[in-house]
Amino acid sequence: MPGFVDAEDPLVAAVSADEFPDAVARAVAAPVTWTRGLPDDTPTWGLRVEQMATVIERVAGGSRA
């Protein structure tokens, strides 16, 4: 059955559970060349973190809006 191990995309890496935290840290920190044709308003990880923090705070009874 094909999966991530078989992916030919250079931005996809299959690693062991032990390697996963370091692999994620490297991937997030690594610059990625922008591909022509992708939208300019693609959300960043920073924006997604802010959005998720807002949702979590709201669910937990905070007042972030």
Side-chain angles (χ1 to χ4, degrees):
M1 174 183 285
F4 290 116
V5 172
D6 300 320
E8 295 181 16
D9 186 330
L11 297 177
V12 174
V15 299
S16 70
D18 290 339
E19 297 173 291
F20 186 75
D22 289 334
V24 170
R26 282 192 308 274
V28 170
V32 177
T33 304
W34 193 250
T35 302
R36 188 182 321 198
L38 291 177
D40 291 332
D41 61 349
T42 301
T44 64
W45 281 111
L47 176 60
R48 289 297 189 225
V49 167
E50 290 174 20
Q51 291 171 331
M52 185 56 82
T54 299
V55 170
I56 291 170
E57 190 168 328
R58 196 176 311 144
V59 169
S63 60
R64 196 179 230 203

